[in-house]
Amino acid sequence: MKVSIFGLGYVGAVSTACLANDGHDVIGVDVDPSKLEMFRAGTSPIVEEGMPELVRKVVESGKVTATNDVSQAVADSRLSFICVGTPSRSNGSQDLSAIERVCEQIGEAIKSKSDPHVVVVRSTVSPGTVEDVLCPLLEKFSGKKNGEGFDVCFMPEFLREGTSIRDFYDPPYTVIGSTSERATAVVKELLAKIDSPFHITNIRTAEMLKYSANVFHATKITFANEMGRLCKAYGVDSHEVMELFCQDTALNISTAYLKPGFAYGGSCLPKDLRALLHMAKTRDVELPMLASVAASNTTHIQTAMDAVVGNGRRNVGMIGLSFKSGTDDLRESPLVSLAEHFIGKGLTLSIYDQEVNLARLMGSNKKFIETSIPHIAELMTSDCRELIKNAEILVVGIKDKDVIEMLHEETQSDQVILDLVNIPDRHKLAGQYSGVCW
Ligand SMILES: NC(=O)c1ccc[n+]([C@@H]2O[C@H](COP(=O)([O-])OP(=O)(O)OC[C@H]3O[C@@H](n4cnc5c(N)ncnc54)[C@H](O)[C@@H]3O)[C@@H](O)[C@H]2O)c1
């Protein structure tokens, strides 16, 4: 395929060399004459393992040309990758000037092209940028409509500097945000030699995915380093701790705890986080990220409180009280905090939790409910169906199968539902639905 690549930095240079190595005819475009010169001379414009040899090879094979002539590059290619920089401004926002300029230039070039051109944005941009900023520019400068005269899609780039050639050929997956079957088909054809799962999603999801991945990586590094500092202060081998930590692929290195939902709570997580922060304090170890975890959790609970109280309806039905589905443990349950807040605000509250059946409660939970939250115990009902029928606003905090079925059957169009657990088959619910973070 004939491809043009805009921006010959890390992403663009590696894509140029690897796609040419796969047999495609690649035109590299950059505004920096020195990068063009280097490519033309068969030398790599970036310092990266394997690139000097690969660039020399593909340039000698005649598969790569380098130019600053945008119209020619677009006219001579089926598809363009946009790989220009999107650096930070001083307030953290993205400086889109380079990518906007490229879209204006590509749009201008598309004007005189008869075949629909495919534009693939690879630069990292925030959700909405492609559809709300870049597409309008392409339309304005080409005088053509997206989906007719050209097709735009977004493909996040996951390669890492240092291992980028390997990452190009063996990515964890390829994700394309696209509403155009034509664009998706062309990209699939281009990457036919790459054997990795291929996911198609909408453009905004693909844009956000790249940020999720990078901030997660930053969070993981910070977590390991904060644990490392604490280990050192306690004379514990941080490498050994983290080696063993990573061996648990059921709970630690896994998909567990990575689903948007409600706040954490219970008898262990809040207590142990507090204890760890106390350990750090006693040895003068600063752990800013871990120290902010509880505040973030509280913000999440506050978000749910505000959604209910701010709604204006006074008659609340809460489904779930324990800190997670399938247990009767009420200690530090965020749902108890919610209930207490609603009572404090003078709302009428009714609560159902089949695990917290007062007659069956034993031991510490019975004592906890009788001594710490007797005011909540009085509000509990054993009839979930009645609770659903009578509430103006429903707060759903457990994912029990029977409860979900009752919600599907009994909710009415004038009710409000706040979902904390990602209720399955939510299209079967009547009423005004919203999730706590979706
Ligand atoms: N570097 C990485 O490892 C990496 C990985 C994944 C995604 N990304 C994202 O990819 C994008 C590019 O990153 P990079 O590190 O390759 O950037 P870079 O700064 O190394 O390269 C950008 C290139 O774009 C060129 N350019 C600027 N304006 C241009 C224009 N109008 N026409 C043509 N070329 C132009 C610049 O001269 C430069 O050579 C960024 O959005 C980045 O966040 C980077």
mmCIF file with all atom_site columns, all heavy atoms in Angstrom, residues 7-11 29-32 35 83-86 98 102 105 123-124 157 159 161 210, ligand 1:
data_model
loop_
_atom_site.group_PDB
_atom_site.id
_atom_site.type_symbol
_atom_site.label_atom_id
_atom_site.label_alt_id
_atom_site.label_comp_id
_atom_site.label_asym_id
_atom_site.label_entity_id
_atom_site.label_seq_id
_atom_site.pdbx_PDB_ins_code
_atom_site.Cartn_x
_atom_site.Cartn_y
_atom_site.Cartn_z
_atom_site.occupancy
_atom_site.B_iso_or_equiv
_atom_site.pdbx_formal_charge
_atom_site.auth_seq_id
_atom_site.auth_comp_id
_atom_site.auth_asym_id
_atom_site.auth_atom_id
_atom_site.pdbx_PDB_model_num
ATOM   1   N N   . GLY A 1 7   ? 5.162  13.501 10.381 1.00 0.00 ? 7   GLY A N   1
ATOM   2   C CA  . GLY A 1 7   ? 5.902  13.581 11.638 1.00 0.00 ? 7   GLY A CA  1
ATOM   3   C C   . GLY A 1 7   ? 6.869  12.419 11.698 1.00 0.00 ? 7   GLY A C   1
ATOM   4   O O   . GLY A 1 7   ? 6.448  11.268 11.816 1.00 0.00 ? 7   GLY A O   1
ATOM   5   N N   . LEU A 1 8   ? 8.181  12.730 11.598 1.00 0.00 ? 8   LEU A N   1
ATOM   6   C CA  . LEU A 1 8   ? 9.186  11.661 11.610 1.00 0.00 ? 8   LEU A CA  1
ATOM   7   C C   . LEU A 1 8   ? 9.939  11.662 12.941 1.00 0.00 ? 8   LEU A C   1
ATOM   8   O O   . LEU A 1 8   ? 11.151 11.578 12.985 1.00 0.00 ? 8   LEU A O   1
ATOM   9   C CB  . LEU A 1 8   ? 10.140 11.825 10.421 1.00 0.00 ? 8   LEU A CB  1
ATOM   10  C CG  . LEU A 1 8   ? 9.469  11.642 9.046  1.00 0.00 ? 8   LEU A CG  1
ATOM   11  C CD1 . LEU A 1 8   ? 10.436 11.960 7.915  1.00 0.00 ? 8   LEU A CD1 1
ATOM   12  C CD2 . LEU A 1 8   ? 8.914  10.226 8.890  1.00 0.00 ? 8   LEU A CD2 1
ATOM   13  N N   . GLY A 1 9   ? 9.176  11.781 14.042 1.00 0.00 ? 9   GLY A N   1
ATOM   14  C CA  . GLY A 1 9   ? 9.761  11.661 15.379 1.00 0.00 ? 9   GLY A CA  1
ATOM   15  C C   . GLY A 1 9   ? 9.807  10.187 15.746 1.00 0.00 ? 9   GLY A C   1
ATOM   16  O O   . GLY A 1 9   ? 9.911  9.318  14.874 1.00 0.00 ? 9   GLY A O   1
ATOM   17  N N   . TYR A 1 10  ? 9.699  9.878  17.019 1.00 0.00 ? 10  TYR A N   1
ATOM   18  C CA  . TYR A 1 10  ? 9.808  8.472  17.459 1.00 0.00 ? 10  TYR A CA  1
ATOM   19  C C   . TYR A 1 10  ? 8.750  7.600  16.809 1.00 0.00 ? 10  TYR A C   1
ATOM   20  O O   . TYR A 1 10  ? 9.043  6.559  16.218 1.00 0.00 ? 10  TYR A O   1
ATOM   21  C CB  . TYR A 1 10  ? 9.720  8.397  18.990 1.00 0.00 ? 10  TYR A CB  1
ATOM   22  C CG  . TYR A 1 10  ? 11.017 8.789  19.618 1.00 0.00 ? 10  TYR A CG  1
ATOM   23  C CD1 . TYR A 1 10  ? 11.268 10.112 19.952 1.00 0.00 ? 10  TYR A CD1 1
ATOM   24  C CD2 . TYR A 1 10  ? 12.015 7.857  19.807 1.00 0.00 ? 10  TYR A CD2 1
ATOM   25  C CE1 . TYR A 1 10  ? 12.487 10.495 20.484 1.00 0.00 ? 10  TYR A CE1 1
ATOM   26  C CE2 . TYR A 1 10  ? 13.239 8.220  20.334 1.00 0.00 ? 10  TYR A CE2 1
ATOM   27  C CZ  . TYR A 1 10  ? 13.473 9.541  20.672 1.00 0.00 ? 10  TYR A CZ  1
ATOM   28  O OH  . TYR A 1 10  ? 14.682 9.904  21.173 1.00 0.00 ? 10  TYR A OH  1
ATOM   29  N N   . VAL A 1 11  ? 7.493  8.035  16.902 1.00 0.00 ? 11  VAL A N   1
ATOM   30  C CA  . VAL A 1 11  ? 6.400  7.201  16.387 1.00 0.00 ? 11  VAL A CA  1
ATOM   31  C C   . VAL A 1 11  ? 6.460  7.128  14.858 1.00 0.00 ? 11  VAL A C   1
ATOM   32  O O   . VAL A 1 11  ? 6.413  6.047  14.264 1.00 0.00 ? 11  VAL A O   1
ATOM   33  C CB  . VAL A 1 11  ? 5.035  7.750  16.864 1.00 0.00 ? 11  VAL A CB  1
ATOM   34  C CG1 . VAL A 1 11  ? 3.889  7.052  16.157 1.00 0.00 ? 11  VAL A CG1 1
ATOM   35  C CG2 . VAL A 1 11  ? 4.907  7.596  18.376 1.00 0.00 ? 11  VAL A CG2 1
ATOM   36  N N   . VAL A 1 29  ? 6.825  12.568 5.867  1.00 0.00 ? 29  VAL A N   1
ATOM   37  C CA  . VAL A 1 29  ? 6.671  14.030 5.729  1.00 0.00 ? 29  VAL A CA  1
ATOM   38  C C   . VAL A 1 29  ? 7.025  14.683 7.060  1.00 0.00 ? 29  VAL A C   1
ATOM   39  O O   . VAL A 1 29  ? 6.535  14.254 8.116  1.00 0.00 ? 29  VAL A O   1
ATOM   40  C CB  . VAL A 1 29  ? 5.208  14.397 5.364  1.00 0.00 ? 29  VAL A CB  1
ATOM   41  C CG1 . VAL A 1 29  ? 5.094  15.891 5.053  1.00 0.00 ? 29  VAL A CG1 1
ATOM   42  C CG2 . VAL A 1 29  ? 4.693  13.563 4.204  1.00 0.00 ? 29  VAL A CG2 1
ATOM   43  N N   . ASP A 1 30  ? 7.869  15.706 7.002  1.00 0.00 ? 30  ASP A N   1
ATOM   44  C CA  . ASP A 1 30  ? 8.186  16.444 8.233  1.00 0.00 ? 30  ASP A CA  1
ATOM   45  C C   . ASP A 1 30  ? 8.510  17.888 7.861  1.00 0.00 ? 30  ASP A C   1
ATOM   46  O O   . ASP A 1 30  ? 8.876  18.180 6.722  1.00 0.00 ? 30  ASP A O   1
ATOM   47  C CB  . ASP A 1 30  ? 9.376  15.795 8.960  1.00 0.00 ? 30  ASP A CB  1
ATOM   48  C CG  . ASP A 1 30  ? 9.347  16.058 10.450 1.00 0.00 ? 30  ASP A CG  1
ATOM   49  O OD1 . ASP A 1 30  ? 9.477  17.255 10.851 1.00 0.00 ? 30  ASP A OD1 1
ATOM   50  O OD2 . ASP A 1 30  ? 9.177  15.115 11.249 1.00 0.00 ? 30  ASP A OD2 1
ATOM   51  N N   . VAL A 1 31  ? 8.335  18.778 8.847  1.00 0.00 ? 31  VAL A N   1
ATOM   52  C CA  . VAL A 1 31  ? 8.679  20.191 8.613  1.00 0.00 ? 31  VAL A CA  1
ATOM   53  C C   . VAL A 1 31  ? 10.149 20.453 8.951  1.00 0.00 ? 31  VAL A C   1
ATOM   54  O O   . VAL A 1 31  ? 10.665 21.528 8.651  1.00 0.00 ? 31  VAL A O   1
ATOM   55  C CB  . VAL A 1 31  ? 7.788  21.141 9.466  1.00 0.00 ? 31  VAL A CB  1
ATOM   56  C CG1 . VAL A 1 31  ? 6.387  21.225 8.907  1.00 0.00 ? 31  VAL A CG1 1
ATOM   57  C CG2 . VAL A 1 31  ? 7.774  20.724 10.942 1.00 0.00 ? 31  VAL A CG2 1
ATOM   58  N N   . ASP A 1 32  ? 10.776 19.476 9.589  1.00 0.00 ? 32  ASP A N   1
ATOM   59  C CA  . ASP A 1 32  ? 12.164 19.650 10.010 1.00 0.00 ? 32  ASP A CA  1
ATOM   60  C C   . ASP A 1 32  ? 13.095 19.126 8.903  1.00 0.00 ? 32  ASP A C   1
ATOM   61  O O   . ASP A 1 32  ? 13.174 17.919 8.677  1.00 0.00 ? 32  ASP A O   1
ATOM   62  C CB  . ASP A 1 32  ? 12.356 18.855 11.316 1.00 0.00 ? 32  ASP A CB  1
ATOM   63  C CG  . ASP A 1 32  ? 13.754 18.986 11.882 1.00 0.00 ? 32  ASP A CG  1
ATOM   64  O OD1 . ASP A 1 32  ? 14.650 19.437 11.137 1.00 0.00 ? 32  ASP A OD1 1
ATOM   65  O OD2 . ASP A 1 32  ? 13.950 18.613 13.048 1.00 0.00 ? 32  ASP A OD2 1
ATOM   66  N N   . LYS A 1 35  ? 15.513 16.192 9.592  1.00 0.00 ? 35  LYS A N   1
ATOM   67  C CA  . LYS A 1 35  ? 14.964 14.819 9.661  1.00 0.00 ? 35  LYS A CA  1
ATOM   68  C C   . LYS A 1 35  ? 14.810 14.254 8.253  1.00 0.00 ? 35  LYS A C   1
ATOM   69  O O   . LYS A 1 35  ? 15.082 13.076 8.009  1.00 0.00 ? 35  LYS A O   1
ATOM   70  C CB  . LYS A 1 35  ? 13.617 14.827 10.384 1.00 0.00 ? 35  LYS A CB  1
ATOM   71  C CG  . LYS A 1 35  ? 13.786 15.239 11.840 1.00 0.00 ? 35  LYS A CG  1
ATOM   72  C CD  . LYS A 1 35  ? 12.805 14.598 12.750 1.00 0.00 ? 35  LYS A CD  1
ATOM   73  C CE  . LYS A 1 35  ? 13.248 14.887 14.178 1.00 0.00 ? 35  LYS A CE  1
ATOM   74  N NZ  . LYS A 1 35  ? 12.244 14.807 15.162 1.00 0.00 ? 35  LYS A NZ  1
ATOM   75  N N   . CYS A 1 83  ? 1.458  11.552 12.979 1.00 0.00 ? 83  CYS A N   1
ATOM   76  C CA  . CYS A 1 83  ? 2.283  11.196 14.155 1.00 0.00 ? 83  CYS A CA  1
ATOM   77  C C   . CYS A 1 83  ? 3.035  12.401 14.682 1.00 0.00 ? 83  CYS A C   1
ATOM   78  O O   . CYS A 1 83  ? 4.140  12.268 15.205 1.00 0.00 ? 83  CYS A O   1
ATOM   79  C CB  . CYS A 1 83  ? 3.307  10.133 13.769 1.00 0.00 ? 83  CYS A CB  1
ATOM   80  S SG  . CYS A 1 83  ? 2.650  8.708  12.930 1.00 0.00 ? 83  CYS A SG  1
ATOM   81  N N   . VAL A 1 84  ? 2.464  13.602 14.534 1.00 0.00 ? 84  VAL A N   1
ATOM   82  C CA  . VAL A 1 84  ? 3.183  14.786 15.015 1.00 0.00 ? 84  VAL A CA  1
ATOM   83  C C   . VAL A 1 84  ? 3.009  14.911 16.532 1.00 0.00 ? 84  VAL A C   1
ATOM   84  O O   . VAL A 1 84  ? 2.120  14.293 17.128 1.00 0.00 ? 84  VAL A O   1
ATOM   85  C CB  . VAL A 1 84  ? 2.706  16.077 14.302 1.00 0.00 ? 84  VAL A CB  1
ATOM   86  C CG1 . VAL A 1 84  ? 2.956  15.980 12.810 1.00 0.00 ? 84  VAL A CG1 1
ATOM   87  C CG2 . VAL A 1 84  ? 1.240  16.364 14.583 1.00 0.00 ? 84  VAL A CG2 1
ATOM   88  N N   . GLY A 1 85  ? 3.842  15.732 17.145 1.00 0.00 ? 85  GLY A N   1
ATOM   89  C CA  . GLY A 1 85  ? 3.830  15.857 18.600 1.00 0.00 ? 85  GLY A CA  1
ATOM   90  C C   . GLY A 1 85  ? 2.587  16.587 19.113 1.00 0.00 ? 85  GLY A C   1
ATOM   91  O O   . GLY A 1 85  ? 2.005  17.421 18.412 1.00 0.00 ? 85  GLY A O   1
ATOM   92  N N   . THR A 1 86  ? 2.171  16.217 20.320 1.00 0.00 ? 86  THR A N   1
ATOM   93  C CA  . THR A 1 86  ? 1.064  16.907 21.008 1.00 0.00 ? 86  THR A CA  1
ATOM   94  C C   . THR A 1 86  ? 1.560  17.250 22.414 1.00 0.00 ? 86  THR A C   1
ATOM   95  O O   . THR A 1 86  ? 1.074  16.700 23.401 1.00 0.00 ? 86  THR A O   1
ATOM   96  C CB  . THR A 1 86  ? -0.193 16.009 21.076 1.00 0.00 ? 86  THR A CB  1
ATOM   97  O OG1 . THR A 1 86  ? 0.199  14.702 21.531 1.00 0.00 ? 86  THR A OG1 1
ATOM   98  C CG2 . THR A 1 86  ? -0.877 15.887 19.744 1.00 0.00 ? 86  THR A CG2 1
ATOM   99  N N   . ALA A 1 98  ? 0.492  21.754 16.146 1.00 0.00 ? 98  ALA A N   1
ATOM   100 C CA  . ALA A 1 98  ? 1.117  20.981 15.052 1.00 0.00 ? 98  ALA A CA  1
ATOM   101 C C   . ALA A 1 98  ? 0.089  20.077 14.362 1.00 0.00 ? 98  ALA A C   1
ATOM   102 O O   . ALA A 1 98  ? 0.008  20.032 13.135 1.00 0.00 ? 98  ALA A O   1
ATOM   103 C CB  . ALA A 1 98  ? 2.273  20.150 15.594 1.00 0.00 ? 98  ALA A CB  1
ATOM   104 N N   . VAL A 1 102 ? -1.288 20.195 10.499 1.00 0.00 ? 102 VAL A N   1
ATOM   105 C CA  . VAL A 1 102 ? -1.210 19.040 9.590  1.00 0.00 ? 102 VAL A CA  1
ATOM   106 C C   . VAL A 1 102 ? -2.587 18.752 8.989  1.00 0.00 ? 102 VAL A C   1
ATOM   107 O O   . VAL A 1 102 ? -2.707 18.470 7.789  1.00 0.00 ? 102 VAL A O   1
ATOM   108 C CB  . VAL A 1 102 ? -0.675 17.790 10.331 1.00 0.00 ? 102 VAL A CB  1
ATOM   109 C CG1 . VAL A 1 102 ? -0.834 16.548 9.475  1.00 0.00 ? 102 VAL A CG1 1
ATOM   110 C CG2 . VAL A 1 102 ? 0.776  17.971 10.683 1.00 0.00 ? 102 VAL A CG2 1
ATOM   111 N N   . GLN A 1 105 ? -3.376 21.162 6.293  1.00 0.00 ? 105 GLN A N   1
ATOM   112 C CA  . GLN A 1 105 ? -2.602 20.872 5.070  1.00 0.00 ? 105 GLN A CA  1
ATOM   113 C C   . GLN A 1 105 ? -3.128 19.617 4.357  1.00 0.00 ? 105 GLN A C   1
ATOM   114 O O   . GLN A 1 105 ? -3.271 19.598 3.137  1.00 0.00 ? 105 GLN A O   1
ATOM   115 C CB  . GLN A 1 105 ? -1.122 20.674 5.422  1.00 0.00 ? 105 GLN A CB  1
ATOM   116 C CG  . GLN A 1 105 ? -0.440 21.950 5.887  1.00 0.00 ? 105 GLN A CG  1
ATOM   117 C CD  . GLN A 1 105 ? 0.984  21.677 6.356  1.00 0.00 ? 105 GLN A CD  1
ATOM   118 O OE1 . GLN A 1 105 ? 1.248  20.712 7.073  1.00 0.00 ? 105 GLN A OE1 1
ATOM   119 N NE2 . GLN A 1 105 ? 1.901  22.534 5.961  1.00 0.00 ? 105 GLN A NE2 1
ATOM   120 N N   . SER A 1 123 ? -1.223 10.339 16.882 1.00 0.00 ? 123 SER A N   1
ATOM   121 C CA  . SER A 1 123 ? -0.777 11.167 18.002 1.00 0.00 ? 123 SER A CA  1
ATOM   122 C C   . SER A 1 123 ? -1.765 11.006 19.155 1.00 0.00 ? 123 SER A C   1
ATOM   123 O O   . SER A 1 123 ? -2.956 10.771 18.930 1.00 0.00 ? 123 SER A O   1
ATOM   124 C CB  . SER A 1 123 ? -0.753 12.643 17.599 1.00 0.00 ? 123 SER A CB  1
ATOM   125 O OG  . SER A 1 123 ? 0.052  12.841 16.465 1.00 0.00 ? 123 SER A OG  1
ATOM   126 N N   . THR A 1 124 ? -1.276 11.157 20.378 1.00 0.00 ? 124 THR A N   1
ATOM   127 C CA  . THR A 1 124 ? -2.141 11.031 21.540 1.00 0.00 ? 124 THR A CA  1
ATOM   128 C C   . THR A 1 124 ? -2.944 12.323 21.714 1.00 0.00 ? 124 THR A C   1
ATOM   129 O O   . THR A 1 124 ? -2.363 13.401 21.842 1.00 0.00 ? 124 THR A O   1
ATOM   130 C CB  . THR A 1 124 ? -1.277 10.767 22.794 1.00 0.00 ? 124 THR A CB  1
ATOM   131 O OG1 . THR A 1 124 ? -0.526 9.574  22.550 1.00 0.00 ? 124 THR A OG1 1
ATOM   132 C CG2 . THR A 1 124 ? -2.133 10.598 24.037 1.00 0.00 ? 124 THR A CG2 1
ATOM   133 N N   . GLU A 1 157 ? -1.213 4.628  19.631 1.00 0.00 ? 157 GLU A N   1
ATOM   134 C CA  . GLU A 1 157 ? 0.092  3.971  19.450 1.00 0.00 ? 157 GLU A CA  1
ATOM   135 C C   . GLU A 1 157 ? 0.589  3.535  20.821 1.00 0.00 ? 157 GLU A C   1
ATOM   136 O O   . GLU A 1 157 ? 0.661  4.346  21.734 1.00 0.00 ? 157 GLU A O   1
ATOM   137 C CB  . GLU A 1 157 ? 1.066  4.979  18.799 1.00 0.00 ? 157 GLU A CB  1
ATOM   138 C CG  . GLU A 1 157 ? 2.482  4.501  18.671 1.00 0.00 ? 157 GLU A CG  1
ATOM   139 C CD  . GLU A 1 157 ? 2.585  3.209  17.879 1.00 0.00 ? 157 GLU A CD  1
ATOM   140 O OE1 . GLU A 1 157 ? 2.546  3.256  16.635 1.00 0.00 ? 157 GLU A OE1 1
ATOM   141 O OE2 . GLU A 1 157 ? 2.689  2.143  18.523 1.00 0.00 ? 157 GLU A OE2 1
ATOM   142 N N   . LEU A 1 159 ? 3.610  1.818  21.282 1.00 0.00 ? 159 LEU A N   1
ATOM   143 C CA  . LEU A 1 159 ? 5.030  1.434  21.337 1.00 0.00 ? 159 LEU A CA  1
ATOM   144 C C   . LEU A 1 159 ? 5.796  2.233  22.386 1.00 0.00 ? 159 LEU A C   1
ATOM   145 O O   . LEU A 1 159 ? 5.403  3.337  22.764 1.00 0.00 ? 159 LEU A O   1
ATOM   146 C CB  . LEU A 1 159 ? 5.684  1.547  19.962 1.00 0.00 ? 159 LEU A CB  1
ATOM   147 C CG  . LEU A 1 159 ? 5.781  2.880  19.219 1.00 0.00 ? 159 LEU A CG  1
ATOM   148 C CD1 . LEU A 1 159 ? 6.806  3.813  19.804 1.00 0.00 ? 159 LEU A CD1 1
ATOM   149 C CD2 . LEU A 1 159 ? 6.116  2.587  17.762 1.00 0.00 ? 159 LEU A CD2 1
ATOM   150 N N   . GLU A 1 161 ? 9.596  3.752  23.618 1.00 0.00 ? 161 GLU A N   1
ATOM   151 C CA  . GLU A 1 161 ? 10.943 4.065  23.160 1.00 0.00 ? 161 GLU A CA  1
ATOM   152 C C   . GLU A 1 161 ? 11.895 3.048  23.780 1.00 0.00 ? 161 GLU A C   1
ATOM   153 O O   . GLU A 1 161 ? 11.740 2.658  24.928 1.00 0.00 ? 161 GLU A O   1
ATOM   154 C CB  . GLU A 1 161 ? 11.327 5.486  23.583 1.00 0.00 ? 161 GLU A CB  1
ATOM   155 C CG  . GLU A 1 161 ? 10.581 6.531  22.769 1.00 0.00 ? 161 GLU A CG  1
ATOM   156 C CD  . GLU A 1 161 ? 10.833 7.960  23.229 1.00 0.00 ? 161 GLU A CD  1
ATOM   157 O OE1 . GLU A 1 161 ? 11.885 8.235  23.823 1.00 0.00 ? 161 GLU A OE1 1
ATOM   158 O OE2 . GLU A 1 161 ? 9.947  8.802  22.988 1.00 0.00 ? 161 GLU A OE2 1
ATOM   159 N N   . LYS A 1 210 ? -5.723 5.324  25.388 1.00 0.00 ? 210 LYS A N   1
ATOM   160 C CA  . LYS A 1 210 ? -4.278 5.611  25.411 1.00 0.00 ? 210 LYS A CA  1
ATOM   161 C C   . LYS A 1 210 ? -3.890 6.295  26.731 1.00 0.00 ? 210 LYS A C   1
ATOM   162 O O   . LYS A 1 210 ? -2.875 5.978  27.341 1.00 0.00 ? 210 LYS A O   1
ATOM   163 C CB  . LYS A 1 210 ? -3.932 6.497  24.211 1.00 0.00 ? 210 LYS A CB  1
ATOM   164 C CG  . LYS A 1 210 ? -2.508 6.965  24.155 1.00 0.00 ? 210 LYS A CG  1
ATOM   165 C CD  . LYS A 1 210 ? -1.521 5.838  23.991 1.00 0.00 ? 210 LYS A CD  1
ATOM   166 C CE  . LYS A 1 210 ? -0.105 6.340  24.217 1.00 0.00 ? 210 LYS A CE  1
ATOM   167 N NZ  . LYS A 1 210 ? 0.867  5.269  24.316 1.00 0.00 ? 210 LYS A NZ  1
HETATM 168 N N1  . LIG B 2 .   ? 7.363  8.755  21.833 1.00 0.00 ? 1   LIG B N1  1
HETATM 169 C C1  . LIG B 2 .   ? 6.641  7.708  22.154 1.00 0.00 ? 1   LIG B C1  1
HETATM 170 O O1  . LIG B 2 .   ? 7.120  6.699  22.661 1.00 0.00 ? 1   LIG B O1  1
HETATM 171 C C2  . LIG B 2 .   ? 5.159  7.712  21.871 1.00 0.00 ? 1   LIG B C2  1
HETATM 172 C C3  . LIG B 2 .   ? 4.450  6.509  22.015 1.00 0.00 ? 1   LIG B C3  1
HETATM 173 C C4  . LIG B 2 .   ? 3.077  6.501  21.743 1.00 0.00 ? 1   LIG B C4  1
HETATM 174 C C5  . LIG B 2 .   ? 2.451  7.675  21.338 1.00 0.00 ? 1   LIG B C5  1
HETATM 175 N N2  . LIG B 2 .   ? 3.172  8.827  21.231 1.00 0.00 ? 1   LIG B N2  1
HETATM 176 C C6  . LIG B 2 .   ? 2.446  10.029 20.768 1.00 0.00 ? 1   LIG B C6  1
HETATM 177 O O2  . LIG B 2 .   ? 2.726  10.166 19.379 1.00 0.00 ? 1   LIG B O2  1
HETATM 178 C C7  . LIG B 2 .   ? 2.861  11.544 19.035 1.00 0.00 ? 1   LIG B C7  1
HETATM 179 C C8  . LIG B 2 .   ? 4.226  11.792 18.442 1.00 0.00 ? 1   LIG B C8  1
HETATM 180 O O3  . LIG B 2 .   ? 5.190  11.521 19.427 1.00 0.00 ? 1   LIG B O3  1
HETATM 181 P P1  . LIG B 2 .   ? 6.745  11.515 19.087 1.00 0.00 ? 1   LIG B P1  1
HETATM 182 O O4  . LIG B 2 .   ? 7.458  11.198 20.346 1.00 0.00 ? 1   LIG B O4  1
HETATM 183 O O5  . LIG B 2 .   ? 6.988  10.671 17.883 1.00 0.00 ? 1   LIG B O5  1
HETATM 184 O O6  . LIG B 2 .   ? 6.960  13.066 18.722 1.00 0.00 ? 1   LIG B O6  1
HETATM 185 P P2  . LIG B 2 .   ? 8.289  13.805 18.261 1.00 0.00 ? 1   LIG B P2  1
HETATM 186 O O7  . LIG B 2 .   ? 8.285  15.137 18.906 1.00 0.00 ? 1   LIG B O7  1
HETATM 187 O O8  . LIG B 2 .   ? 9.486  12.915 18.430 1.00 0.00 ? 1   LIG B O8  1
HETATM 188 O O9  . LIG B 2 .   ? 8.084  13.985 16.693 1.00 0.00 ? 1   LIG B O9  1
HETATM 189 C C9  . LIG B 2 .   ? 7.108  14.794 16.133 1.00 0.00 ? 1   LIG B C9  1
HETATM 190 C C10 . LIG B 2 .   ? 7.565  15.151 14.716 1.00 0.00 ? 1   LIG B C10 1
HETATM 191 O O10 . LIG B 2 .   ? 6.507  15.858 14.078 1.00 0.00 ? 1   LIG B O10 1
HETATM 192 C C11 . LIG B 2 .   ? 7.102  16.823 13.244 1.00 0.00 ? 1   LIG B C11 1
HETATM 193 N N3  . LIG B 2 .   ? 6.114  17.841 12.853 1.00 0.00 ? 1   LIG B N3  1
HETATM 194 C C12 . LIG B 2 .   ? 5.651  18.892 13.559 1.00 0.00 ? 1   LIG B C12 1
HETATM 195 N N4  . LIG B 2 .   ? 4.776  19.610 12.821 1.00 0.00 ? 1   LIG B N4  1
HETATM 196 C C13 . LIG B 2 .   ? 4.664  18.988 11.630 1.00 0.00 ? 1   LIG B C13 1
HETATM 197 C C14 . LIG B 2 .   ? 3.922  19.238 10.451 1.00 0.00 ? 1   LIG B C14 1
HETATM 198 N N5  . LIG B 2 .   ? 3.096  20.285 10.352 1.00 0.00 ? 1   LIG B N5  1
HETATM 199 N N6  . LIG B 2 .   ? 4.065  18.388 9.417  1.00 0.00 ? 1   LIG B N6  1
HETATM 200 C C15 . LIG B 2 .   ? 4.881  17.328 9.511  1.00 0.00 ? 1   LIG B C15 1
HETATM 201 N N7  . LIG B 2 .   ? 5.641  17.046 10.587 1.00 0.00 ? 1   LIG B N7  1
HETATM 202 C C16 . LIG B 2 .   ? 5.531  17.872 11.637 1.00 0.00 ? 1   LIG B C16 1
HETATM 203 C C17 . LIG B 2 .   ? 8.262  17.354 14.077 1.00 0.00 ? 1   LIG B C17 1
HETATM 204 O O11 . LIG B 2 .   ? 9.222  18.034 13.285 1.00 0.00 ? 1   LIG B O11 1
HETATM 205 C C18 . LIG B 2 .   ? 8.793  16.045 14.668 1.00 0.00 ? 1   LIG B C18 1
HETATM 206 O O12 . LIG B 2 .   ? 9.770  15.459 13.844 1.00 0.00 ? 1   LIG B O12 1
HETATM 207 C C19 . LIG B 2 .   ? 2.576  12.329 20.325 1.00 0.00 ? 1   LIG B C19 1
HETATM 208 O O13 . LIG B 2 .   ? 1.220  12.674 20.361 1.00 0.00 ? 1   LIG B O13 1
HETATM 209 C C20 . LIG B 2 .   ? 2.897  11.332 21.412 1.00 0.00 ? 1   LIG B C20 1
HETATM 210 O O14 . LIG B 2 .   ? 2.191  11.615 22.600 1.00 0.00 ? 1   LIG B O14 1
HETATM 211 C C21 . LIG B 2 .   ? 4.509  8.863  21.475 1.00 0.00 ? 1   LIG B C21 1
#
